[in-house]
Amino acid sequence: ALKTFFLGAHYRSPVDYSDASITAARRRFEGIDGFLQRAAAQRAAKAPQAVIDALRQRFIDAMDQDLNTPEALAVIDQAAQAGYGVAEVVRELCRVLGLFSHDEPKAVEVTSDVQALVQQREAARKNRDFQTADRIRKEVEGKGFIIEDTPSGPLILRKR
């Protein structure tokens, strides 16, 4: 998140350090990380090569423009909005900026006890027992995971 904060300001510009700007950088970082985790779990089809090439070129243009890292981050943000088919190029561009270089986002390995809790939560949701489902969701969060409900079933993500 701190790297994202510093990359969000041009190196020639003053850095506005505040709680709000650090919080915004953390949210931005977590958004990209969440996108990459979801993409790893979804295994979506790759985007057309022309789309991937255009994203890479926009990123290169930003970096060639006096190392414009705020614009380069904006390209990554826009790519993440384009869908999971561009996840590989998002991962590649993040590596260029030093994001996720040591902690490669990938499908989450979930322990059997958490998987069992998620199955219990799904059963509770199907039975419309939302109080139990909410309690189980909080228990799973306490174990370091977040449950995201999707049309194809629950998606388990790491909690940051």
Side-chain angles (χ1 to χ4, degrees):
L2 196 55
K3 277 184 184 180
T4 306
F5 168 73
F6 284 115
L7 290 167
H10 193 274
Y11 74 92
R12 291 186 189 206
S13 301
V15 177
D16 179 29
Y17 182 88
S18 67
D19 287 343
S21 59
I22 292 296
T23 299
R26 181 181 48 79
R27 284 189 184 132
R28 184 181 216 173
F29 176 80
E30 289 173 350
I32 295 168
D33 180 56
F35 166 79
L36 291 173
Q37 285 186 57
R38 287 181 203 90
Q42 298 290 330
R43 305 209 191 282
K46 190 175 177 183
Q49 192 62 42
V51 171
I52 291 171
D53 291 343
L55 288 170
R56 279 191 186 116
Q57 190 57 53
R58 287 182 49 222
F59 182 86
I60 290 167
D61 291 346
M63 295 299 282
D64 283 349
Q65 185 184 31
D66 196 24
L67 203 62
N68 190 344
T69 56
E71 181 61 28
L73 274 176
V75 171
I76 291 172
D77 290 339
Q78 292 166 359
Q81 298 298 315
Y84 299 130
V86 296
E88 193 55 43
V89 75
V90 169
R91 198 172 285 116
E92 171 190 324
L93 301 179
C94 284
R95 274 191 235 115
V96 169
L97 295 177
L99 299 174
F100 307 112
S101 58
H102 293 61
D103 183 24
E104 185 74 24
K106 56 187 174 217
V108 178
E109 293 183 25
V110 181
T111 60
S112 59
D113 62 325
V114 170
Q115 288 176 344
L117 287 171
V118 171
Q119 289 173 351
Q120 290 172 15
R121 181 178 173 276
E122 279 303 293
R125 288 182 68 229
K126 285 180 182 171
N127 291 330
R128 305 189 59 77
D129 183 359
F130 299 114
Q131 186 174 10
T132 300
D134 288 343
R135 179 187 53 75
I136 294 171
R137 177 189 292 271
K138 287 178 183 170
E139 188 176 345
V140 168
E141 285 180 10
K143 293 180 180 286
F145 297 94
I146 296 172
I147 301 172
E148 186 173 292
D149 296 317
T150 70
S152 60
L155 183 61
I156 306 168
L157 306 172
R158 283 183 307 240
K159 185 176 178 184
R160 285 220 175 244

